[in-house]
Structures are given as structure tokens and as C-alpha cells.
Amino acid sequence: MSSIDDSGKCIHKYFSLLLKIIFSLLTAVTGIYFIIGGVKLASLGGSYYYAIAGLAYLVLLASLWMKKRRGLHLSVVIFIATAIWSLIEVGGLSYWPLTARLVVPAIILMLSFWVFPAVAGANSQRNRLSFAGGWGVFVGLLAVLAGAFFPHGKIYNPSAAAEHPEAYASPNKAEADQNWDHLSRNASGTRFAVVDQITPENVSKLQVAWTYHTGRRLAGKEAGVDENTPLQIGNVLYSCTPQNVIAAIDADTGKSIWRVDPKATAVSHVTCRSVGYYDIDKDSSLSQEEKAVAPAECRQRIITTTVDARMLALDAKTGQACSDFGTNGTVDLHEGMKPAEKGAAYHPSGTPVIMGHLTVFGTWIFDHSDKDASGVVRAYDVRNGKLAWSWNAEEDAPDAVNHTGGTPNVWAPATYDQELNTVYLPTGMGPPDYWGGERMPSSEKFASAVVAVDASTGKTKWVFQTVHHDIWDYDLPSQPVMYEMKNEQGERVPVLIQTTKTGQIFVIDRRTGKPASKVEERPVVTTPSGQNDHLSPTQPFSVDMPALGLTKLKESDMWGITPFDQLECRIAFKSSRYNGIFTPTAESNYIQFPSTLGGMNWGGISIDERDNIMYVNDIRMGKIMALKTAEEAKAYKGKYPIRTMFAGPYVGLKSDFFMSSLGVPCQNPPFGTLSAIDLNTKKLVWQVPVGTVEDSGPLGVKTHMAMPIGMPTLGGPTATAGGIVFFAGTQDNYLRAFNSKTGEEIWKYRLPVGATASPLVYKSPKTGKPYVVISAGGAAHSPDQGDYLIAFSLPDTGQ
């Protein structure tokens, strides 16, 4: 028995020593780090908490080694003071901000309860209380950890929804509901699936119906990003890969009907979001005589552009090239494009938009030089591939053949209004992105704007600019969506809804280009800026529509998974210039928030046309940036990413995400949300953080823990008549279904890899079964890539 007692005492002794060492190391590191960082932060005008707390932790450590039992009291005081400071700074009970501030101090408090009794002498009653206190803190930490697996920061405001919504008819409601024949289902861009068989009550029964492998490249610079939403025409899906491999797939079985590989190659911006579909027999722009003389072949055509700047026309039934289109079914889009200097690149990236017998699309260019390729938008006859007209911001000649370079481009899809015979172009900015001292007048007028162009002639009708003299890369990233809303006078008018990278949503009367929802020109900071540049003294703000994530950051908004990286982020924040949105660019570090990613990006919106609720996802990630001269760029080479830019005195831009050394964003979560906005009341109905850290984590290491912190999102949502919003564009590998009324996540399915694309939802005209299809090629910025096109449906017994 004596030997057992001795062994127990020995184990207890070594365990107490281990706890003492852990406590000492953690407290010493915390104290020293807090003092060094805290003094730096205080010298920048930041919080004094860290310097004071660091000193207190070193005193606490000294108390341990001096065997002072009062050290336990000091540890309790430090934690209580930290908790009070945290609550005041955060402004109340907010899970993620408080967790970052209090978990490490709580661990030190827990260890204090366990180590101080061991060094301060025997007092069994007091020691038992102390150990119990430590276990109490431990249980509290477990509760905090458990809380990480529940969403926080959800907004639910049902009173914001109209009680008796006035249903607005879609401008293209007469279109056949059975087809998804545009990128966002219909010509309006609402991405509303009229399928009502899948409901909140039965969505949990969804199961994989079939899987198709696209065969896309999975590695290397030319792998690109899979952003494909297939078209559904009758019982056939038409899909594309980033390298523009086009496939026709049976909508019920997933079996290949035909496949065409155009052997397209590129190393920059390799993507295909969808294809265009043309049916001559349903073309109301042609007479019956014109339809009658058309050949029997290729009466239904797939129109696509490639990443090496070609346009193809394929027979929708066979996949064969349409011989009467261009040269053997191909048009070379390099024709008329002046050679760009300094390695600039050009190719179309927006999905071809079909306008009667014309198709229109814009361009993607590097945006890094005033000698870049032209940003021209061109319309071609889908029957023969002949150029119909062109629109270029620096030209007033729709019949121009050779196009001026360095003009604002249109890389997102356009929108065609058949009733007004107008095509709406969401423009980018005139290159270069971040310095505008020598831009052409066209950039000042047409950049980062919605431009209305006559669909028959290419003549400009009106322009509405969302950013003046854009030097932040806030180009318009998404398709303008046609709908009907009430203007400020209460009149129902045809509008365009345009989401932006700034997190703002503009509503424009599409007849006139005037705001249909209130917009104010507000003063913004204009100095300092880059050499020989100038800034607009005001910028447009959409004040009636909700802005998403457009919060002016402050020091207390800095975040980290620990107080250590939070302190690092605070120092970076206070060391950089930041004046809110539209902080001027400069040669010193400045913070851009929202960043070049957005706000809202290319995924666009979805509108439930029954009750006028709009669904939109966003990104909340800042960047630290700085303009660099040739000498500075050379000196800093390898220290951080330098984006090449040939502009006046600058050759590059420091462009790095505003993150800590752990690879964790520096501002408070969420980093991405899904929101519902009532278009009747123009108020936010609900907002939820979307996406977990299961497939990502600090230092790029996957946590494998489904904590719904809210991650950056790409792609877009799809609303259905069944009361569901499907979404997949997160940083984890899931397709999710949300209750459209409440924002509650009611179903999710783990995909083999993540998805960046928007879901396709349709009902098979052959079997009547509903399907949800997602192109799972890998989440944005994830090394895990795939070539999956996965369809889900209800089991036969559950329909």
C-alpha cells in the first residue's frame, strides 16, 4: 500500500510540475508579447489594455515563483478586468469578438486555480475550492467551444417584410417556365426557379440522382475556376468547363449526349460561367420568311466564347460546328483588336447574351496598363457570325473595326431588355486599376457604370456611374437584373437592380438611367493620393437600399482567434491609413474595405418573384495595399504579393489580404453572409453567416470542425417557388438549402469538393421530377479541385 501511495504522490508531483511549466510559459509569452505589442499599439494611439495586461501577467508569473498565494487573487482580478474591458469595447455580448479576447485569459485563470494552491502550502479546504474553481472555468471553456458550432450574428426581422406583398410580374414572365435558357434562368436575370415540388418539409429527402464528370483540367495555371451553371433546354443540359469544353447531358440520367473540346488555352482568368442558347424557330426578331429559308441544320445553336478569344456556334442537337457561322463555325475575336503592350491579355469572360438574332458580350483584360487591350463590347449575328455593331467607351462608331485600347471593359454578363430594345452593360474601370492620372475621358464617364445601349445599333442611350474616378477596382461585377419596383414617388417602374463590390445596391429606372431608389452624392476623403492623380470629392451612395458589410472599421473591430493575432491586427490597422470606404490610394500602407473582391461579386442575386424578396450573398474581407515605384517594388520583392501595374510613376501595387500571420482575417466575423431583402419595403428581412471553417483554417490547415463563422462567398443563390434558397459558393464543401422566409439552414449535403457556381433547379419535362444541379469543381482559393456535375432529386416515394 505504501508503494502505491508513493507512486500516487510522485505522479501528482510531476503533474503539478507540468502544470506549473505550462502556466509559466503561457503567462510569460502572454506578458512579454502584450508588453512589446501593447507599447507599440499605444504609441500609435491605440488601446492601452495590452501593455497594462502584459505587465500584470508578468507580476502574476513572479507571484507564482515567489510562492505568493495572492497571485491567485491577482489572476482573478486580471480576468475580471479583461472581461469588463472586453464587454465595453465589444459593446455587449457578441460571441466571436469576446471569444478572441477572453479564451486565453480564461485558460490562464484556469491554470492559476490549479497551480497556486500547490505552491502556496497545504490548506485542504481552500485547495479543494481552488481546484473546483479551475474545473468550473474548464467547463465554461468547453461551453464556449460548443458555442462555436452554432451560428452567431444572425439577423431576423420579419416585420421588414410586407404583410401583403404586391406581386410584381417579371418582365419576361411569358417565357416558358420549363426551360433554364439563360445564365440566371430568364432574360431578366432573377434566377428564380418556378419548381415548387421541393419544399422545406421534404428537402431533407434530397439524394444524389446522378453524377457527371466533365473531365476538366485539375492542376496547373490553365486549370482555372469552375463557375459553370448549365443551361437546361427541355430534357438536355448544356455545360461548359473553364477550358470551354462544351457538353450536352441528359437531364434525367446525367449521361453524355455529345461533347466538344475546342482546345482552348489561356493562363489568366480561365473560366466559363455558362453558354448562350439560340432557337431560330422562337426568334421573334425574324420574319416567317427568314425562318423558312434558314437551313435545317443548326436551327438551335449553342453560342460560346473561349478563353483564347474565339466564338463558336454548335448545333444544339449534335454538337457539330455550324458551317454557316464564321469560318467553319468559328469567329476569331482578335480581329479588330490592336496589339496590347507589356504582356496584356484579352478574352471574353461574360456569358454570351442572346438578343433576338444577335449575341452580345464584353471582354476581360488585365487592367494593369493604359496600353491594355480594348474593352470593346461587340454584337454578332448568331446566324452567320458577322459583326453587327460594337460599343467602345472611347468611340462613337458602332461600325468601327479597329478598336481603341485601354478603355473600360465589360467582363460581367450584360442584360437584354426586349421591350425597350436595350442592352445594359455593367462596365469595369479604365486601366490601370489603381492610378488614374492619365486615364482617357471615357474612363471618367463610362467606368464602373451601367451603360444602356441600343440593342440594334450599339448607340449609347444613358449611363449611370456607381463610382467616380475609380482607383479601387470597384468595377461592376454582376449582371444587372431587370424587375419592377416602386420609385420614390410610389409609382411602379421598370428598374435595374445592380449589386456592387462596395456592398451597395443601386436601383435604376431602366428607361431613363435615373435612380429609382434614393442616391446621394456624399463627400469623401481625397488626400493624400498617388503622384499626379486626383480624386472625386464626392461618391454616390444608395441610401434607401440596405448596404451589406459596408461598415467603417475601427480598432475594436480587429479580430483574431487569439489575443496575439488580434493585437497584431490592431497594430497593422493603426499603422495603416484608413478613412472608411474610398480611402485614397497612396504609396504608404492603406486599408481597402470592402476589398477588390467585394462586397458583392459576380454571383449576383436571386429574386422570389412571388413576394419580391431578393437574396444576395456577400464577401467581407479587407486588403492592405500600397502603390509601389520601380525602386520600391524591387526592394520589397518576395516580402508580399506585388500586382504588376504600368501606370505613371508606378510599376506595381502591394496587394495582400488584411490577415494576421495565422492567415485569419483581421476584422470581426462573419466574412460572408446570405441576406434576404424585401423589395417592397427595401429592408433587410434576414441575414445569416454562411459557411464553416471545416475545410480551411489557420495557416491553411483544415480544422475539420464545422464552425459556422461565415466565410467569404462567391457564386450566387437560387430561389425556388417551393420556399427554398439553394446556395453552394462557400469555402467549405457543401450545397445548402435555406428556408426562404426565415434564413434557417434546413438541409446540406457534403460535396466531394467545394463549389463556386450557382445552383441550377429545374423540373424534367420528361419525367416531371425536380432536380437541383451543382457544378462542384472546388471552392475558390482551395487546392482541392474536382470535375463533378452532381444532380439531386427527391426519391420517387417522396414526391
Side-chain angles (χ1 to χ4, degrees):
M1 179 66 88
S2 176
S3 61
I4 295 176
D5 290 341
D6 291 341
S7 297
K9 291 178 181 179
C10 185
I11 292 172
H12 182 269
K13 176 182 177 182
Y14 283 114
F15 183 69
S16 298
L17 178 61
L18 177 62
L19 284 177
K20 182 177 180 181
I21 292 172
I22 293 173
F23 174 84
S24 299
L25 288 175
L26 180 58
T27 307
V29 168
T30 302
I32 294 170
Y33 188 91
F34 275 22
I35 288 176
I36 295 174
V39 170
K40 173 67 174 177
L41 180 62
S43 71
L44 295 170
S47 173
Y48 282 77
Y49 162 78
Y50 293 92
I52 295 171
L55 181 61
Y57 277 125
L58 291 186
V59 172
L60 177 63
L61 179 62
S63 299
L64 174 69
W65 289 97
M66 294 172 64
K67 299 184 178 181
K68 300 290 186 180
R69 189 180 184 90
R70 287 192 299 269
L72 177 57
H73 302 153
L74 176 59
S75 185
V76 172
V77 169
I78 293 173
F79 181 79
I80 292 175
T82 297
I84 293 172
W85 167 78
S86 299
L87 287 168
I88 293 173
E89 190 175 55
V90 170
L93 296 173
S94 184
Y95 180 85
W96 290 112
L98 289 177
T99 299
R101 291 165 170 80
L102 293 177
V103 165
V104 169
I107 292 173
I108 293 177
L109 175 63
M110 176 186 70
L111 294 173
S112 297
F113 277 118
W114 289 341
V115 299
F116 274 97
V119 300
N123 185 325
S124 58
Q125 179 64 24
R126 187 177 292 179
N127 287 359
R128 282 195 294 269
L129 289 174
S130 199
F131 273 101
W135 283 111
V137 176
F138 179 76
V139 171
L141 286 169
L142 288 180
V144 170
L145 177 62
F149 293 88
F150 295 88
H152 299 278
K154 178 179 178 178
I155 298 172
Y156 183 49
N157 182 26
S159 62
E163 276 191 43
H164 304 289
E166 180 182 0
Y168 296 158
S170 166
N172 292 274
K173 195 68 175 178
E175 290 183 302
D177 287 337
Q178 293 301 312
N179 286 339
W180 186 297
D181 50 10
H182 293 74
L183 170 65
S184 295
R185 196 190 76 81
N186 55 24
S188 302
T190 56
R191 203 184 293 131
F192 176 60
V194 295
V195 178
D196 60 4
Q197 294 158 289
I198 306 172
T199 66
E201 290 72 32
N202 66 15
V203 67
S204 61
K205 298 179 182 179
L206 281 178
Q207 58 190 27
V208 174
W210 53 258
T211 299
Y212 173 84
H213 289 276
T214 66
R216 64 169 288 235
R217 183 177 300 193
L218 300 180
K221 292 183 177 180
E222 294 186 14
V225 181
D226 186 354
E227 299 171 341
N228 163 53
T229 298
L231 300 187
Q232 172 258 325
I233 312 296
N235 216 53
V236 180
L237 306 187
Y238 296 97
S239 173
C240 65
T241 72
Q243 299 83 21
N244 306 115
V245 176
I246 312 300
I249 305 160
D250 186 283
D252 277 301
T253 66
K255 292 182 179 180
S256 177
I257 299 172
W258 55 256
R259 183 177 184 272
V260 174
D261 185 355
K263 307 296 183 183
T265 59
V267 294
S268 297
H269 203 75
V270 182
T271 189
C272 178
R273 296 189 179 119
S274 197
V275 297
Y277 175 78
Y278 173 72
D279 187 341
I280 193 171
D281 296 317
K282 296 181 179 180
D283 184 355
S284 60
S285 71
L286 300 179
S287 67
Q288 290 300 320
E289 289 76 15
E290 289 176 299
K291 295 178 183 179
V293 299
E297 297 78 17
C298 281
R299 295 188 73 83
Q300 291 79 38
R301 302 182 175 205
I302 299 300
I303 306 295
T304 187
T305 55
T306 67
V307 293
D308 53 6
R310 290 176 284 157
M311 179 170 55
L312 311 177
L314 306 174
D315 189 312
K317 295 180 179 178
T318 66
Q320 296 296 313
C322 297
S323 59
D324 57 353
F325 183 87
T327 302
N328 298 321
T330 300
V331 171
D332 184 357
L333 299 177
H334 287 104
E335 293 182 4
M337 302 294 289
K338 294 181 179 179
E341 298 181 9
K342 298 180 179 178
Y346 151 79
H347 66 78
S349 62
T351 301
V353 175
I354 306 300
M355 310 184 302
H357 61 281
L358 301 181
T359 182
V360 65
F361 49 85
T363 62
W364 175 86
I365 57 178
F366 262 139
D367 285 346
H368 70 177
S369 168
D370 55 6
K371 305 299 182 184
D372 253 320
S374 176
V376 65
V377 175
R378 290 179 285 186
Y380 290 83
D381 193 315
V382 296
R383 299 169 298 172
N384 51 37
K386 291 183 179 179
L387 180 67
W389 55 258
S390 62
W391 179 88
N392 197 5
E394 196 65 19
E395 302 164 2
D396 188 21
D399 57 349
V401 176
N402 296 309
H403 305 292
T404 305
T407 51
N409 65 330
V410 177
W411 61 265
T415 302
Y416 171 56
D417 186 337
Q418 182 177 357
E419 182 178 344
L420 296 178
N421 193 39
T422 302
V423 59
Y424 305 102
L425 309 176
T427 68
M429 50 194 298
D433 282 341
Y434 306 99
W435 184 82
E438 296 175 356
R439 285 184 185 155
M440 292 180 286
S442 60
S443 293
E444 299 303 291
K445 180 179 180 180
F446 292 108
S448 303
V450 179
V451 181
V453 173
D454 187 285
S456 299
T457 67
K459 287 287 188 180
T460 300
K461 290 186 174 183
W462 52 256
V463 57
F464 177 87
Q465 192 167 58
T466 62
V467 179
H468 306 320
H469 192 70
D470 187 353
I471 54 170
W472 301 275
D473 196 14
Y474 284 152
D475 46 8
L476 292 186
S478 59
Q479 179 183 24
V481 175
M482 295 192 298
Y483 207 59
E484 286 188 354
M485 288 178 61
K486 289 184 178 180
N487 61 14
E488 292 184 66
Q489 290 72 43
E491 305 165 326
R492 277 180 56 175
V493 297
V495 302
L496 286 177
I497 302 173
Q498 180 67 63
T499 57
T500 68
K501 288 184 179 181
T502 64
Q504 299 188 83
I505 303 168
F506 290 92
V507 181
I508 310 160
D509 188 322
R510 62 178 187 267
R511 302 166 301 181
T512 64
K514 303 297 182 182
S517 183
K518 190 175 181 180
V519 174
E520 291 180 356
E521 287 284 339
R522 294 180 175 176
V524 293
V525 176
T526 59
T527 56
S529 61
Q531 298 177 33
N532 304 319
D533 203 351
H534 65 281
L535 294 179
S536 172
T538 65
Q539 292 290 351
F541 286 81
S542 179
V543 295
D544 278 353
M545 293 293 289
L548 303 182
L550 189 55
T551 302
K552 185 175 181 179
L553 300 176
K554 53 188 182 298
E555 183 196 337
S556 58
D557 292 323
M558 297 303 101
W559 192 73
I561 57 173
T562 69
F564 308 114
D565 54 326
Q566 184 180 63
L567 176 54
E568 178 190 0
C569 288
R570 285 176 180 259
I571 293 171
F573 179 78
K574 298 296 290 188
S575 300
S576 305
R577 284 197 314 105
Y578 176 69
N579 308 108
I581 190 174
F582 303 119
T583 294
T585 61
E587 295 176 17
S588 58
N589 283 356
Y590 66 93
I591 293 173
Q592 185 175 329
F593 184 85
S595 74
T596 57
L597 286 179
M600 284 79 89
N601 209 290
W602 60 265
I605 66 175
S606 179
I607 300 177
D608 188 326
E609 298 175 10
R610 304 165 307 167
D611 52 17
N612 306 320
I613 302 292
M614 179 178 81
Y615 305 96
V616 58
N617 57 292
D618 72 308
I619 303 169
R620 304 180 186 190
M621 292 278 289
K623 278 190 173 184
I624 290 188
M625 310 176 85
L627 295 168
K628 294 298 175 185
T629 63
E631 185 175 346
E632 289 176 322
K634 184 178 180 180
Y636 284 96
K637 186 176 182 181
K639 293 186 178 180
Y640 45 66
I642 292 286
R643 173 172 174 166
T644 302
M645 182 175 72
F646 302 100
Y650 303 108
V651 299
L653 178 90
K654 170 188 175 180
S655 178
D656 202 5
F657 285 112
F658 186 29
M659 292 183 171
S660 72
S661 297
L662 296 179
V664 175
C666 274
Q667 82 279 347
N668 283 329
F671 311 125
T673 70
L674 180 65
S675 302
I677 298 169
D678 190 303
L679 296 180
N680 297 290
T681 64
K682 300 179 183 178
K683 293 181 179 179
L684 186 68
V685 179
W686 55 257
Q687 184 177 91
V688 293
V690 59
T692 72
V693 295
E694 183 172 351
D695 297 293
S696 57
L699 301 176
V701 179
K702 296 180 181 181
T703 66
H704 300 289
M705 293 188 290
M707 297 178 179
I709 193 170
M711 301 296 284
T713 65
L714 285 171
T718 300
T720 76
I724 293 175
V725 179
F726 289 100
F727 184 71
T730 63
Q731 297 299 299
D732 55 3
N733 302 349
Y734 286 98
L735 171 65
R736 291 179 167 87
F738 297 86
N739 185 309
S740 63
K741 299 296 184 184
T742 66
E744 178 190 1
E745 182 183 300
I746 52 180
W747 174 81
K748 67 179 180 179
Y749 181 88
R750 182 146 180 89
L751 302 168
V753 295
T756 307
S758 304
L760 162 68
V761 182
Y762 63 93
K763 182 173 71 172
S764 166
K766 183 178 179 181
T767 64
K769 293 188 65 172
Y771 290 94
V772 181
V773 175
I774 189 68
S775 189
H781 308 292
S782 170
D784 301 327
Q785 299 291 297
D787 70 337
Y788 305 90
L789 194 64
I790 305 175
F792 300 84
S793 190
L794 297 172
D796 292 337
T797 56
Q799 293 187 48

